[in-house]
Amino acid sequence: MAKAQISKDAAEGNKFAQMLQERVNRKIVKQTVMTTVYGVTFIGARDQIHRQLKAIDDFEGMDLYPYANYLAKVVLDCIGTLFKGAKDIQVWLNDCARLITKSIPEDRVRLMFMAEQDSKALPPDMKGRRALQWQADLKGGQEQMTTVVWTTLLGLPIVQPYRKAGRKQILTQLQSVYISDPNQPQAVNTSKQVSAFPPNFVHSLDASHMMLTALQCDRQGLTFAAVHDSYWTHASSIDDMSVAIRDSFVHLHSSHVLESLLKEFKERYQGYKLPVSAFTSRVLRASLVRGGRSPAVERVLSTLDHGKEEVEEEEEDKEVAEMEVEEVEEEEEQKKPRKAKKAKATASKMKSKDIPLFDPEKKRSRREEKEIEEKIAERFIDLVDVLPPIPQKGMFNIEIIKDSPYFFS
């Protein structure tokens, strides 16, 4: 397909296609094709192809990035056309992960608004010295944003561990060292969660297939061993194991895998909230729109279009910065030097036990409870209401695998 497209573009006068014609081979595009399922981006594909083009003698000394740009676009377009069903599923998995990782448990959202209420009651001289707990509560529960969790068809729970590393720089006389505490709560690494979910989910299916094959071989009294995706048995049992591999594969993938995954997401993340402000991100908004125009989606788009949420656009690679108490003090000192210094001096005389801390068990009035409910309804939507529907199923008959000489040979 790529060669045909290049020939067509060359005939239409594309100079990059004319130079690449008859020079593109399997080696140049292989890495890009194989890493597509791992979420390779256009930039990654371009760099992969650029490395391969540099090895061609005819191109020595040339600026190959324009050619790599062109060829990367051709290859990715061909992959999207040839494997449309698989690509649609990959995009669906990406969209689900992106929405999940921006969601917050409902009880954590309530705590955030409780802290916001109580912070207004702080004395003026404490405004610049909120406790760290206050800072965390007022940052919207970033340390509790959700990782992607699912259960395999054999009942094994899978948790993606990717979170951003909270590093601190330590300066010594010899060097500068960065250290991090893995036990300290940190924000979810959305980009890593999103890109890793499709391959991790497929790997969990492969692992389930291996276990099903091993169980079937055990029932038949066959010796079974495996290393990754290579299955072994004695020479005399190869034909029997071949049948077991195919039967277990068909059984696994005939069990409505994606339907089960979506059902689990809706049960597991019931009550989780998505901040409307998160959808100012172009990437997250695209994920929302791809799922269709449900009432919840229409509400978010209407809110954003009318400018009711004045927030800055979020980018997936943006580092989440937690504000320390010392930074608040410095900011207050710069803006209001006299008042800040006076507040600092007053606060320094107070003992730590005198600093008012947020009390989640505090009994709240009806007015306060109503205010919290209204803010949640205004600023958040339910995650399960915007999870996208499953892509349309293809026409491939999986039963033919049982008689195919190409699968698992």
Side-chain angles (χ1 to χ4, degrees), residues 5-15 17-18:
Q5 184 61 48
I6 292 170
S7 298
K8 179 182 176 183
D9 292 343
E12 294 174 356
N14 186 306
K15 64 178 183 179
Q18 291 171 349

Side-chain angles (χ1 to χ4, degrees), residues 112-121 134 138 364 367-369 371-372 375:
M112 180 185 74
F113 284 118
M114 289 179 185
E116 185 178 287
Q117 279 183 344
D118 290 356
S119 67
K120 297 175 183 177
W134 286 81
L138 292 175
R364 300 183 183 270
R367 182 189 61 79
E368 290 175 323
E369 290 287 353
E371 180 186 16
I372 291 173
K375 286 187 175 182

Side-chain angles (χ1 to χ4, degrees), residues 289-352:
V289 172
R290 273 193 293 267
R293 296 276 182 157
S294 67
V297 172
E298 291 290 355
R299 179 198 152 199
V300 173
L301 297 178
S302 175
T303 300
L304 295 175
D305 290 341
H306 287 83
K308 293 180 181 177
E309 293 289 335
E310 297 180 359
V311 291
E312 295 183 358
E313 179 174 334
E314 287 185 86
E315 296 297 339
E316 295 303 328
D317 60 348
K318 186 179 179 181
E319 292 293 331
V320 177
E322 290 291 338
M323 187 177 289
E324 301 284 352
V325 169
E326 290 79 9
E327 294 175 352
V328 180
E329 291 176 357
E330 291 177 5
E331 185 178 345
E332 292 291 327
E333 287 178 353
Q334 291 175 2
K335 291 182 179 179
K336 300 177 181 179
R338 294 180 181 177
K339 290 184 179 181
K341 288 180 181 178
K342 183 178 178 181
K344 187 175 181 180
T346 304
S348 63
K349 296 177 182 179
M350 298 177 66
K351 296 180 180 179
S352 59

